[in-house]
Amino acid sequence: MNNNNFQYQGERFADIQMLRYRLPGFEALSLNQKLYIYYLSEATLWGRDITFDQFGKYNLLIRSTLEKIYTTHKNTMADSEEFAKLTEYLKRIWFSNGIYHHYGCEKFKPEFSQAFFEDITHKTLDAEAEETLKQITRIIFDDSFLSKRVNKADNEDLIKTSACNYYENVSQKEVEDYYSTLSDKNDPEPPSYGLNSTLIKNEDGSLREDVWRVGGKYSKTIEHIVENLSKASEHAENEQQRKIIGLLIEYYKTGDLRIFDQYSIEWLKELDGNIDFINGFIEVYGDPLGIKASWEGIVEYKDIEACHRTQTICQNAQWFEDHSPVDPRFRKKVVKGVTANVICAAMLGGDEYPSTAIGINLPNADWIRAQYGSKSVTISNITEAYNEAGKGNGFLDEYAIDSETIALVRKYGNRCDDLHTDLHECLGHGSGQLLPGVDPNALKNYSSTIEEARADLFGLYYIADPKLVELGLLEDAEAYKSQYYTYLMNGMLTQNVRIKLGDNIEEAHMRNRAIIANWTYAHADGAIELIKKETPSEGTKTYIKINDYERLRQLFATLLAEIQRIKSEGDFEAARDIVETYGVKIDQELHNEILDRYKKLNIAPYKGFLNPRLTLIEANGSVSDVTVSYEESLEEQMLRYSKEYSEFSKE
């Protein structure tokens, strides 16, 4: 497959549609830039097994066992229905970095029988089979055993009821007490305690941290990451990039979180290069308490033409902060170091692969944001792939209320989606401040949801501001209405196609959108309606109708002010109340209707990406080029990664 023949859509299975993303302009980069991307990409691909292990204690053994079964028997058992079900189960594991759904966090239920699995495992592994089955049979087939990767249900021990592999033999209270004793409210630059370690209770009842570093947990894998970072450093575009990589390597070798903070600060300062990357233990969504970070990696290069949009936003960051509808006590008096770019992803890894974010804002430490600012990216070639794959699928026609609204969204939707992502990442996450003495972890298991709601509301409030037309970011003052409509439609209706009937909303971003949509609807006083229409052949259909867009913006402002107050004051009880009231439950009758309508569209609710393959080309004993190819199938890519980027497979 070449660029002239590029196909965005790949294989589809279960509830997943695989997509591909292009690397536009890669060929025009210098050889040194290509090599920089290549070795950063190698460092990114090596982190895969860390994410698998973090997402479940048995994930790597299950993946390895299933891959051996699959490769051994795929040519001889092609007609077996149970083998086909086992193959789909393996593909879901590849996609989700383990046996739990990447979004809902529930454990996959195998559709092949335990007897079949045990029999084929014996045929494949011989002498190793019995010991392997002893370790993994229960976790695969017992629905009640380690059933949820991340549990966020209120009034439960979230550590004991979550299967994520960040803790051993500890309770939620023990975790909270342990890290509260480390926290020093008088420290103006507190490290993110616990970010890069497994917390373990010893036999004598004492607690210790097994730090993820060279010489500690994940040492062999981290050594490969460090090796490739060192090679990348030789091809860096400037001295600041080399300094950043040096600090990251030092952090990987020591596990010292204060060095990680130094790295983060220096990473913020690097603005001149065309190429950037994220590599490490970053986001805490996979920990029910929001302490431990999953490993992730992304390599990127600037989309120069599209960067004008984000740079315009950043240049006016102080204006946006000063005019925010939140209490002035919670605003930043001086906005520092807000930078953002539109980028093209060159390689995805860990918790960013195969399912990835479309925008990223880092670092996460509040004190670094306050003193040094933040850096954001919006990933243009990922959104391009989503948009191209979604053309003509009938989704908008099914769920939008009328032809006028459909026309509005088709005209402005992609532009406003990108702009809302920019506002969310560039300014939303970087806005506001904690009051002095407020613990950054005060909101506990509700922290991630509140933070995402804060950033989304910032974007929603400002996308309707005349300032955006003045800055040339929107050409029409009415364009924002497309974003308001699709956001509410998603938050109240269509995002629920990702939830099984009868289940609650668990994922932080989905809870955030539900809170905003449901709270706004509850306080709308007629500005928003749910309209039911009778159709001759398909029964009753429910639609969102917005009657007063200006009133809706006022409601977003009111909710933003409250969400910022909760964040700034560390008001845990208010956070719990607003999340549990508006962000968790789904109306069952409405949910059933939305699912029925979606099923008829035959669209996979989740999308993920196959990475391009980068290859070194040698001539006369030296590297002459780095080429890009897009031919790999899901099976080929995943099996290659397990072979080439896994210490586990060598054990």
Side-chain angles (χ1 to χ4, degrees):
M1 183 189 305
N2 58 43
N3 281 327
N4 297 325
N5 196 16
F6 189 84
Q7 298 292 319
Y8 287 97
Q9 296 199 39
E11 181 178 353
R12 179 174 171 178
F13 60 94
D15 55 358
I16 304 296
Q17 174 72 63
M18 298 305 300
L19 304 176
R20 293 182 175 88
Y21 59 97
R22 297 185 307 117
L23 270 59
F26 183 86
E27 296 81 3
L29 298 175
S30 69
L31 176 58
N32 195 64
Q33 288 175 315
K34 291 178 181 179
L35 287 170
Y36 189 40
I37 288 174
Y38 176 83
Y39 287 113
L40 289 174
S41 296
E42 290 292 289
T44 295
L45 295 175
W46 262 107
R48 177 175 181 244
D49 277 4
I50 297 176
T51 308
F52 263 88
D53 188 72
Q54 290 178 319
F55 284 6
K57 182 177 180 180
Y58 302 94
N59 281 337
L60 287 170
L61 182 57
I62 292 171
R63 187 191 77 191
S64 175
T65 301
L66 291 173
E67 287 176 345
K68 288 175 184 175
I69 292 170
Y70 176 72
T71 54
T72 301
H73 301 284
K74 65 176 181 176
N75 294 326
T76 59
M77 300 193 70
D79 296 329
S80 166
E81 184 176 344
E82 291 219 271
F83 189 80
K85 295 297 185 184
L86 182 143
T87 300
E88 182 176 277
Y89 183 75
L90 173 58
K91 290 177 180 179
R92 299 189 78 178
I93 288 170
W94 283 335
F95 187 88
S96 295
N97 293 303
I99 64 173
Y100 299 92
H101 196 282
H102 74 290
Y103 223 73
C105 293
E106 70 274 8
K107 187 165 65 175
F108 298 132
K109 187 171 183 177
E111 297 182 28
F112 51 90
S113 69
Q114 183 173 333
F116 168 79
F117 178 69
E118 291 175 351
D119 179 63
I120 201 168
T121 301
H122 278 290
K123 290 177 179 177
T124 307
L125 301 184
D126 298 323
E128 301 173 18
E130 205 56 50
E131 180 59 31
T132 299
L133 288 169
K134 188 184 298 182
Q135 294 184 67
I136 66 175
T137 300
R138 186 184 178 196
I139 185 65
I140 292 175
F141 292 97
D142 185 345
D143 291 345
S144 64
F145 181 56
L146 299 177
S147 59
K148 197 121 187 178
R149 176 167 65 89
V150 182
N151 179 34
K152 294 186 177 181
D154 197 22
N155 296 318
E156 293 185 15
D157 188 311
L158 302 184
I159 298 301
K160 290 186 174 181
T161 57
S162 294
C164 53
N165 194 24
Y166 296 124
Y167 304 96
E168 289 184 23
N169 304 319
V170 293
S171 67
Q172 179 176 343
K173 186 177 187 308
E174 287 172 324
V175 174
E176 292 173 347
D177 288 348
Y178 180 85
Y179 287 111
S180 68
T181 61
L182 297 181
S183 178
D184 181 0
K185 293 183 178 180
N186 296 316
D187 186 350
E189 300 179 355
S192 301
Y193 290 111
L195 188 75
N196 64 334
S197 66
T198 304
L199 185 63
I200 302 168
K201 182 192 281 187
N202 299 314
E203 290 185 4
D204 63 2
S206 61
L207 300 183
R208 65 180 175 88
E209 290 184 299
D210 192 355
V211 179
W212 311 329
R213 62 177 180 84
V214 173
K217 191 170 184 179
Y218 305 131
S219 180
K220 288 184 179 180
T221 297
I222 292 173
E223 287 168 29
H224 287 288
I225 295 172
V226 167
E227 177 188 7
N228 283 286
L229 287 172
S230 297
K231 291 178 180 178
S233 183
E234 298 174 11
H235 301 282
E237 297 174 289
N238 55 54
E239 285 303 317
Q240 183 64 14
Q241 289 177 344
R242 275 185 274 276
K243 182 177 183 180
I244 290 164
I245 291 175
L247 283 168
L248 181 57
I249 289 173
E250 185 180 357
Y251 164 61
Y252 271 135
K253 289 181 175 179
T254 64
D256 187 335
L257 287 166
R258 292 192 187 273
I259 294 175
F260 176 68
D261 287 341
Q262 293 175 31
Y263 153 77
S264 299
I265 292 166
E266 295 302 324
W267 176 78
L268 283 172
K269 296 177 183 177
E270 205 296 288
L271 303 175
D272 296 330
N274 189 46
I275 298 160
D276 206 349
F277 71 98
I278 295 164
N279 185 295
F281 307 106
I282 309 294
E283 300 292 357
V284 296
Y285 300 110
D287 177 356
L289 297 185
I291 297 171
K292 309 292 181 184
S294 58
W295 192 94
E296 68 179 64
I298 182 170
V299 185
E300 64 203 47
Y301 58 99
K302 290 178 183 176
D303 181 339
I304 301 297
E305 184 177 342
C307 281
H308 169 73
R309 188 178 71 231
T310 53
Q311 290 168 358
T312 299
I313 291 172
C314 293
Q315 290 163 5
N316 290 273
Q318 190 67 60
W319 184 92
F320 287 102
E321 184 76 0
D322 291 345
H323 291 81
S324 171
V326 306
D327 189 315
R329 294 180 301 146
F330 309 142
R331 296 180 196 152
K332 288 179 177 173
K333 302 298 184 289
V334 178
V335 177
K336 300 179 181 179
V338 175
T339 61
N341 289 300
V342 179
I343 57 96
C344 294
M347 195 62 64
L348 307 171
D351 202 8
E352 290 293 340
Y353 168 84
S355 177
T356 185
I358 58 173
I360 299 170
N361 175 273
L362 291 171
N364 288 325
D366 285 295
W367 71 267
I368 296 180
R369 289 175 181 274
Q371 293 184 37
Y372 299 95
S374 63
K375 188 157 65 174
S376 303
V377 296
T378 302
I379 312 177
S380 62
N381 58 342
I382 295 296
T383 55
E384 174 194 55
Y386 277 128
N387 293 338
E388 290 295 324
K391 286 182 176 178
N393 64 10
F395 181 86
L396 185 61
D397 299 87
E398 175 60 38
Y399 290 107
I401 190 167
D402 52 35
S403 58
E404 181 182 352
T405 303
I406 292 170
L408 178 75
V409 174
R410 286 193 173 139
K411 185 175 182 179
Y412 298 115
N414 289 347
R415 177 68 176 264
C416 285
D417 282 346
D418 288 343
L419 189 53
H420 182 257
T421 300
D422 293 339
L423 292 166
H424 172 113
E425 300 293 349
C426 304
L427 301 181
H429 281 309
S431 67
Q433 62 182 352
L434 300 182
L435 292 183
V438 171
D439 184 350
N441 295 319
L443 302 184
K444 302 179 183 179
N445 48 303
Y446 298 107
S447 178
S448 295
T449 298
I450 292 298
E451 176 58 25
E452 292 303 322
R454 193 174 71 91
D456 259 2
L457 284 162
F458 197 96
L460 288 168
Y461 176 73
Y462 276 116
I463 201 168
D465 200 289
K467 185 73 171 180
L468 298 191
V469 177
E470 176 189 323
L471 293 173
L473 296 170
L474 287 176
E475 63 275 14
D476 188 335
E478 300 293 298
Y480 78 92
K481 293 180 179 180
S482 71
Q483 184 66 24
Y484 276 22
Y485 191 87
T486 55
Y487 193 95
L488 289 185
M489 183 178 77
N490 187 34
M492 291 189 73
L493 304 179
T494 56
Q495 74 166 359
N496 294 327
V497 302
R498 297 178 168 187
I499 305 291
K500 292 179 182 177
L501 188 64
D503 286 356
N504 291 332
I505 302 172
E506 296 278 357
E507 200 274 336
H509 297 79
M510 291 185 73
R511 284 186 166 190
N512 140 51
R513 292 188 287 267
I515 290 167
I516 293 172
N518 292 329
W519 183 96
T520 306
Y521 176 68
H523 295 80
D525 294 327
I528 309 164
E529 291 183 81
L530 283 178
I531 301 294
K532 294 188 179 294
K533 293 184 177 181
E534 293 293 334
T535 63
S537 58
E538 297 179 280
T540 303
K541 292 186 177 184
T542 305
Y543 299 90
I544 294 284
K545 183 182 180 185
I546 300 177
N547 297 315
D548 189 339
Y549 281 90
E550 292 183 6
R551 170 63 179 154
L552 183 52
R553 189 187 185 214
Q554 294 169 8
L555 290 168
F556 288 149
T558 301
L559 183 56
L560 173 58
E562 172 60 7
I563 293 291
Q564 182 64 64
R565 183 200 67 76
I566 290 170
K567 169 90 173 181
S568 295
E569 295 181 351
D571 189 341
F572 173 80
E573 291 301 328
R576 178 165 63 181
D577 180 64
I578 202 165
V579 173
E580 296 295 337
T581 302
Y582 298 104
V584 176
K585 302 294 183 182
I586 307 173
D587 179 276
Q588 294 300 290
E589 182 179 348
L590 181 58
H591 192 189
N592 188 53
E593 176 208 318
I594 296 300
L595 289 173
D596 283 346
R597 292 163 64 183
Y598 191 76
K599 186 177 181 180
K600 294 171 184 175
L601 295 174
N602 194 30
I603 304 170
Y606 298 100
K607 310 291 191 295
F609 293 89
L610 293 168
N611 280 323
R613 184 171 186 174
L614 304 182
T615 304
L616 297 178
I617 304 299
E618 294 191 9
N620 301 319
S622 61
V623 176
S624 60
D625 200 4
V626 180
T627 60
V628 182
S629 61
Y630 305 97
E631 288 87 358
E632 276 189 313
S633 67
L634 174 69
E635 171 192 332
E636 290 167 338
Q637 186 157 109
M638 293 299 182
L639 290 175
R640 180 171 68 86
Y641 284 0
S642 292
K643 180 181 179 181
E644 297 181 4
Y645 302 100
S646 177
E647 281 293 334
F648 183 85
S649 64
K650 300 173 186 177
E651 294 176 357

